[in-house]
Amino acid sequence: MASGVKPRVKVPKKASADDVITIKTLISHKMESGQRKDGDGNVIPRSIINRFVADFNGENVIDVTLEPAISTNPYFQFDATVPETGEFHFTWYDDDGDVYETKKKITVS
Amino acid sequence: MELSRRKLLALGASSIALMGLGTSVAFASKADEAIAKFTGGAAAGEGTLELTAPEIAENGNTVPIEVNAPGAVSVTVLADGNPVPNVATFNFGKLNASRSASTRIRLSKTQNVIAVAKMEDGSFQMAKANVKVTIGGCGG
Amino acid sequence: MGIKLISFVSALVFAGSAYAQDSNQLNVEGELFVSTTAAPSHMENVDTLYSGWHFRSGETQALQLDDFDNPGMVFIDQGIDLFGKVDGSEGKSCQSCHEDVEDFAGLRTQLPRVEDGQLVSMENLVNDCRTERMGAEAWKWSSTNMTAVTGLIGLQSRGMPMNVKIDGDAAPFWEAGKELYYTRVGQLDMSCSNCHEDNYGVMIRADHLSQGQINGFPTYRLKNAKLNSIHNRFKGCMSNIRATPFQEGGKEFKALELYIASRGEGLAVETPSVRN
């Protein structure tokens, strides 16, 4: 498990049906690009979050393929339509095989 | 197959051109190659796709960008001066109404950030923004 | 004739810096912060104080306005974890004694300060607790652990005005710091004041010179995508002018820290600020 990797998400707690809400997500990850060299001149191998998925009640909202050019601590802001009360499920996939997840509920009236 | 002289000449000309360039380099740059891979070779025109990036990036480490692509199924972002041009591809799901996304990217030097959107109807749109990346005077 | 020429040139210099910092308002999470204020009386050559925030590009400024967008907050989260983590032979965490980190409100505004005849910075206080009360090892001055915790503690004073004591037993340290501030060093033979007092607002190559305030430290720097301590920044500045830097945690940097903190009197603590 890559150490210190922590997701944070900002989702409104409430919304009206079919509102468009803004979601912000961040995950603390170094995003080692594979371009840097260590003190001995050896290339530090690439090790990044390569995919981020946001679903709501099982339906996909966004699916992002990340490359090394995404900054350290990948940040994404996007919109979602919420037809009903439910739960957002956020997943990040690491090059090293680890998967990080977090969920957020929203009440829709 | 019967080939008219015109067709033969055209074939000959393009194959000579390709021979001249070598098999690996049929594209002007790695970015062009990546774009062609995304579009399958189709042309990308202007449209409603918007790419927002700063004119001058205070630091190439963390450059905020935003893509806004009404009606798009997915948008790929490239940086034509980076060691590897691909930056990210946003695939929009059913519940994504605005087809927009913001993120922060790394730019190794002054270059163009390019967004290519694949629209619902299969067509492609492209937008470019030039970002100057500075090296601080005394930030070290 | 000579005097007229000099004043003409200095008028040009001032003209260059007049419009150099913006008049945007620093509104963090909906709260307006004092980011510009009248300079304290002990500063002879500066009338108005400006937070380093004013010298950054619009995009960088925007990152500090919202606690989610602020990239430094990821490290504050780590600080919260560290605060509650048991470490050392006594089986304690910071939280074992300091139940609520919010009790540290106000501390950042007063440091560095004199305790038992010694000038102490926040890093000293953290390490004193660790070594003397937790039986744990001291953290390196600018390590990820240390900046995460000094960041967390500094955050508790966010919005409060900087107000360090410079008289009484602090006076000799303050005088020493002031002398350092105005002393030219290094191959480039420059003092802190040459850039941060004489030329703030002016561009140095592609960098927009600030007044060198420290009210936002530890600060998240875009340059290295992490929190940076005050002494680490001093060290970087000295290296840039090709001087042999003083030691982080040493007496010179602590004296300098006190003096520079006093040059920010009245500015709101912005920890964790976002800078270049």
Side-chain angles (χ1 to χ4, degrees), chain B residues 52-65 104 106 133-140, chain C residues 55-57 59-60 63 69-71 204-209 220-225 233 240 276:
Chain B
T52 311
E55 236 186 273
I56 303 178
E58 195 144 47
N59 195 298
N61 247 341
T62 307
V63 184
I65 61 158
R104 297 169 187 161
R106 293 167 170 161
V133 176
T134 60
I135 299 176
C138 92
Chain C
F55 298 88
R56 305 273 57 90
S57 73
E59 292 83 19
T60 308
L63 290 176
D69 289 345
N70 186 328
I204 180 167
R205 289 169 72 197
D207 215 357
H208 199 184
L209 274 178
Y220 179 91
R221 290 193 68 190
L222 296 178
K223 170 189 146 82
N224 55 20
R233 192 66 190 88
N240 288 338
N276 193 353

Coordinates of all heavy atoms in Angstrom, one line a residue, chain B residues 52-65 104 106 133-140, chain C residues 55-57 59-60 63 69-71 204-209 220-225 233 240 276:
Chain B
T52 N -9.9 26.2 -20.6 CA -9.5 27.3 -19.8 C -8.2 27.0 -19.1 O -8.1 26.0 -18.4 CB -10.5 27.7 -18.8 OG1 -11.8 27.8 -19.4 CG2 -10.2 29.1 -18.1
A53 N -7.1 27.8 -19.4 CA -5.8 27.6 -18.7 C -5.2 29.0 -18.5 O -5.6 29.9 -19.3 CB -4.9 26.8 -19.6
P54 N -4.4 29.2 -17.5 CA -3.8 30.5 -17.3 C -2.8 30.9 -18.5 O -2.2 30.0 -19.1 CB -3.1 30.4 -16.0 CG -2.8 29.0 -15.8 CD -3.9 28.2 -16.6
E55 N -2.7 32.2 -18.7 CA -1.8 32.6 -19.8 C -0.3 32.4 -19.3 O 0.5 32.0 -20.0 CB -2.0 34.1 -20.0 CG -2.3 34.5 -21.4 CD -2.3 36.0 -21.6 OE1 -3.4 36.6 -21.4 OE2 -1.3 36.6 -21.9
I56 N -0.1 32.7 -18.0 CA 1.2 32.5 -17.4 C 1.0 31.6 -16.2 O 0.2 32.0 -15.3 CB 1.8 33.8 -17.0 CG1 1.9 34.8 -18.1 CG2 3.2 33.6 -16.4 CD1 2.5 36.1 -17.8
A57 N 1.7 30.5 -16.1 CA 1.6 29.6 -15.0 C 2.7 30.0 -14.0 O 3.9 30.1 -14.3 CB 1.8 28.2 -15.4
E58 N 2.3 30.3 -12.8 CA 3.2 30.8 -11.8 C 4.2 29.6 -11.5 O 5.4 29.9 -11.2 CB 2.5 31.2 -10.5 CG 3.4 31.9 -9.5 CD 2.6 33.0 -8.8 OE1 1.6 32.7 -8.3 OE2 3.1 34.1 -8.7
N59 N 3.8 28.4 -11.6 CA 4.7 27.3 -11.4 C 4.2 26.1 -12.2 O 3.0 25.8 -12.2 CB 4.7 26.9 -9.9 CG 5.9 26.0 -9.6 OD1 5.9 24.9 -10.1 ND2 6.8 26.4 -8.8
G60 N 5.1 25.5 -13.0 CA 4.7 24.5 -13.9 C 4.2 23.2 -13.2 O 3.7 22.3 -13.8
N61 N 4.5 23.1 -11.9 CA 4.1 22.0 -11.1 C 2.6 21.8 -11.0 O 2.1 20.7 -10.9 CB 4.5 22.2 -9.7 CG 5.5 21.3 -9.2 OD1 5.7 20.3 -9.8 ND2 6.2 21.7 -8.1
T62 N 1.9 22.9 -10.9 CA 0.5 22.9 -10.6 C -0.3 23.9 -11.4 O -0.4 25.1 -11.0 CB 0.3 23.2 -9.1 OG1 1.1 22.4 -8.3 CG2 -1.1 23.0 -8.6
V63 N -0.7 23.5 -12.6 CA -1.4 24.5 -13.5 C -2.8 24.1 -13.5 O -3.2 23.0 -14.0 CB -0.8 24.4 -14.9 CG1 -1.4 25.5 -15.8 CG2 0.7 24.6 -14.9
P64 N -3.7 25.0 -13.1 CA -5.1 24.7 -13.1 C -5.7 24.8 -14.5 O -5.5 25.8 -15.2 CB -5.8 25.7 -12.2 CG -4.8 26.8 -12.1 CD -3.5 26.3 -12.5
I65 N -6.5 23.8 -14.9 CA -7.1 23.8 -16.2 C -8.6 23.4 -16.1 O -8.9 22.7 -15.1 CB -6.4 23.0 -17.3 CG1 -6.5 21.5 -16.9 CG2 -5.0 23.4 -17.6 CD1 -6.3 20.6 -18.1
R104 N -5.6 19.9 -12.1 CA -4.3 20.6 -12.0 C -3.3 19.7 -12.7 O -3.2 18.5 -12.4 CB -3.9 20.9 -10.5 CG -4.9 21.7 -9.8 CD -4.6 21.8 -8.3 NE -5.7 22.5 -7.6 CZ -6.0 22.4 -6.3 NH1 -5.2 21.6 -5.6 NH2 -6.9 23.0 -5.8
R106 N 0.8 19.2 -14.7 CA 2.2 19.6 -14.7 C 2.6 19.9 -16.2 O 2.4 19.2 -17.1 CB 3.1 18.4 -14.3 CG 2.9 18.0 -12.9 CD 3.5 16.6 -12.7 NE 3.5 16.2 -11.3 CZ 3.7 15.0 -10.8 NH1 3.8 14.0 -11.7 NH2 3.7 14.8 -9.5
V133 N 5.2 29.0 -19.1 CA 5.7 28.5 -17.8 C 7.0 29.1 -17.4 O 7.9 29.1 -18.2 CB 5.9 26.9 -17.9 CG1 6.4 26.4 -16.6 CG2 4.5 26.3 -18.3
T134 N 7.0 29.8 -16.3 CA 8.1 30.6 -15.9 C 9.0 29.9 -14.9 O 8.6 29.0 -14.2 CB 7.7 31.9 -15.3 OG1 6.9 31.6 -14.1 CG2 6.8 32.7 -16.2
I135 N 10.3 30.2 -14.9 CA 11.2 29.8 -13.9 C 11.4 31.0 -13.0 O 11.8 32.1 -13.4 CB 12.5 29.3 -14.4 CG1 12.3 28.2 -15.4 CG2 13.4 28.9 -13.3 CD1 13.5 27.7 -16.1
G136 N 11.1 30.9 -11.7 CA 11.1 32.0 -10.8 C 12.5 32.6 -10.8 O 13.5 32.0 -11.0
G137 N 12.6 33.9 -10.4 CA 13.9 34.6 -10.4 C 14.6 34.2 -9.1 O 15.8 33.9 -9.2
C138 N 13.9 34.1 -8.0 CA 14.7 33.8 -6.8 C 14.0 32.8 -5.9 O 14.4 32.5 -4.9 CB 15.0 35.1 -6.0 SG 13.8 35.4 -4.8
G139 N 12.9 32.3 -6.5 CA 12.2 31.2 -5.7 C 13.1 30.0 -5.6 O 12.8 29.2 -4.8
G140 N 14.1 30.0 -6.4 CA 15.1 28.9 -6.2 C 14.7 27.6 -6.9 O 13.5 27.4 -7.1
Chain C
F55 N 0.9 39.1 -3.9 CA 1.9 39.1 -5.0 C 1.8 37.9 -5.9 O 2.6 37.8 -6.9 CB 3.3 39.2 -4.4 CG 3.6 40.5 -3.6 CD1 3.2 40.5 -2.2 CD2 4.0 41.6 -4.2 CE1 3.4 41.7 -1.5 CE2 4.2 42.8 -3.4 CZ 3.9 42.8 -2.1
R56 N 0.9 37.1 -5.6 CA 0.8 35.8 -6.4 C -0.2 36.0 -7.5 O -1.1 36.9 -7.5 CB 0.5 34.6 -5.5 CG 1.5 34.4 -4.4 CD 2.7 33.6 -4.8 NE 3.5 34.1 -5.9 CZ 4.5 34.9 -5.8 NH1 4.8 35.4 -4.6 NH2 5.2 35.2 -6.8
S57 N -0.2 35.1 -8.5 CA -1.1 35.2 -9.6 C -2.5 34.8 -9.2 O -2.7 34.2 -8.1 CB -0.7 34.2 -10.7 OG -1.0 32.9 -10.3
E59 N -4.5 32.6 -10.1 CA -4.8 31.2 -9.9 C -4.3 30.7 -8.6 O -4.9 30.0 -7.9 CB -4.2 30.4 -11.1 CG -4.8 30.5 -12.4 CD -4.2 31.7 -13.2 OE1 -3.1 32.2 -12.8 OE2 -4.8 32.2 -14.1
T60 N -3.1 31.2 -8.2 CA -2.5 30.8 -7.0 C -3.3 31.4 -5.8 O -3.5 30.7 -4.8 CB -1.0 31.3 -6.9 OG1 -0.4 30.9 -8.1 CG2 -0.3 30.7 -5.7
L63 N -6.4 29.4 -4.9 CA -6.2 28.1 -4.2 C -6.3 28.3 -2.6 O -6.5 27.3 -1.9 CB -4.8 27.5 -4.5 CG -4.6 27.0 -5.9 CD1 -3.2 26.6 -6.1 CD2 -5.5 25.9 -6.2
D69 N -9.9 23.4 -1.7 CA -9.0 23.7 -2.8 C -7.6 23.9 -2.3 O -6.6 23.7 -3.1 CB -9.4 24.9 -3.6 CG -10.7 24.7 -4.4 OD1 -11.0 23.5 -4.6 OD2 -11.3 25.7 -4.8
N70 N -7.4 24.3 -1.1 CA -6.1 24.6 -0.6 C -5.2 23.3 -0.5 O -5.5 22.4 0.3 CB -6.2 25.2 0.8 CG -4.9 25.6 1.4 OD1 -3.9 25.0 1.2 ND2 -4.9 26.7 2.2
P71 N -4.2 23.2 -1.3 CA -3.5 21.9 -1.4 C -2.7 21.6 -0.1 O -2.3 20.5 0.1 CB -2.5 22.1 -2.5 CG -2.8 23.4 -3.1 CD -3.7 24.2 -2.3
I204 N 11.6 40.0 -10.3 CA 12.9 39.5 -10.4 C 12.9 38.4 -11.3 O 12.3 37.3 -11.0 CB 13.6 39.2 -9.0 CG1 15.0 38.7 -9.2 CG2 12.8 38.2 -8.2 CD1 15.8 38.7 -7.8
R205 N 13.4 38.5 -12.5 CA 13.1 37.6 -13.6 C 11.6 37.3 -13.7 O 10.8 38.3 -13.9 CB 13.9 36.3 -13.4 CG 15.4 36.5 -13.7 CD 16.3 35.4 -13.3 NE 16.1 34.2 -14.2 CZ 16.5 33.0 -13.8 NH1 17.0 32.7 -12.7 NH2 16.3 32.0 -14.7
A206 N 11.2 36.1 -13.5 CA 9.8 35.9 -13.6 C 9.1 35.8 -12.3 O 7.9 35.3 -12.2 CB 9.5 34.6 -14.4
D207 N 9.7 36.2 -11.2 CA 9.1 36.0 -9.9 C 8.7 37.4 -9.4 O 9.4 38.4 -9.6 CB 10.2 35.5 -8.9 CG 9.6 34.6 -7.9 OD1 8.4 34.4 -7.9 OD2 10.4 34.0 -7.1
H208 N 7.5 37.5 -8.7 CA 7.0 38.7 -8.2 C 7.4 38.9 -6.8 O 7.0 38.1 -5.9 CB 5.5 38.7 -8.4 CG 4.8 40.0 -8.3 ND1 3.5 40.2 -8.3 CD2 5.4 41.2 -8.2 CE1 3.2 41.5 -8.3 NE2 4.3 42.1 -8.2
L209 N 8.4 39.8 -6.5 CA 8.9 39.9 -5.1 C 7.9 40.4 -4.1 O 7.2 41.4 -4.3 CB 10.1 40.9 -5.1 CG 11.4 40.4 -5.5 CD1 12.4 41.6 -5.5 CD2 11.9 39.4 -4.5
Y220 N 2.3 26.1 1.9 CA 2.4 25.2 0.8 C 3.0 25.9 -0.4 O 2.5 26.9 -0.8 CB 0.9 24.7 0.4 CG 0.9 23.7 -0.7 CD1 1.0 22.3 -0.5 CD2 0.8 24.1 -2.0 CE1 1.0 21.4 -1.5 CE2 0.8 23.2 -3.1 CZ 0.9 21.9 -2.8 OH 0.8 21.0 -3.9
R221 N 4.1 25.4 -0.9 CA 4.7 26.0 -2.1 C 4.4 25.1 -3.3 O 4.6 23.9 -3.3 CB 6.2 26.1 -1.9 CG 6.6 27.1 -0.8 CD 8.1 27.4 -0.9 NE 8.4 28.1 -2.1 CZ 9.7 28.4 -2.5 NH1 10.7 27.9 -1.8 NH2 9.9 29.0 -3.6
L222 N 4.0 25.8 -4.3 CA 3.7 25.1 -5.6 C 5.0 24.4 -6.1 O 5.0 23.4 -6.7 CB 3.2 26.1 -6.7 CG 1.9 26.8 -6.4 CD1 1.6 27.7 -7.5 CD2 0.8 25.7 -6.3
K223 N 6.1 25.0 -5.8 CA 7.4 24.6 -6.2 C 7.7 23.2 -5.8 O 8.3 22.4 -6.6 CB 8.5 25.6 -5.7 CG 9.9 25.2 -5.8 CD 10.8 26.1 -5.0 CE 12.0 25.4 -4.4 NZ 13.1 25.3 -5.4
N224 N 7.4 22.8 -4.6 CA 7.7 21.5 -4.1 C 6.5 20.7 -3.6 O 6.6 19.6 -3.0 CB 8.9 21.5 -3.1 CG 8.6 22.4 -1.9 OD1 7.4 22.7 -1.6 ND2 9.6 22.7 -1.2
A225 N 5.3 21.3 -3.8 CA 4.1 20.6 -3.5 C 4.0 20.0 -2.1 O 3.6 18.9 -1.9 CB 3.8 19.4 -4.5
R233 N 12.8 28.2 4.4 CA 12.7 29.2 3.4 C 13.8 30.2 3.5 O 14.4 30.6 2.4 CB 11.3 30.0 3.5 CG 11.0 30.8 2.4 CD 10.7 30.0 1.1 NE 10.6 30.8 -0.1 CZ 11.7 31.2 -0.8 NH1 12.9 30.8 -0.5 NH2 11.5 31.9 -1.9
N240 N 20.1 31.1 -2.6 CA 19.9 31.7 -3.9 C 20.8 32.9 -4.1 O 21.2 33.3 -5.2 CB 18.4 32.3 -4.0 CG 17.5 31.1 -4.2 OD1 17.8 30.1 -4.6 ND2 16.2 31.4 -3.8
N276 N 4.2 30.4 -4.2 CA 4.9 29.8 -5.4 C 6.0 28.8 -5.1 O 6.5 28.7 -4.0 CB 5.5 31.0 -6.1 CG 5.9 30.5 -7.5 OD1 5.8 29.3 -7.9 ND2 6.4 31.4 -8.3

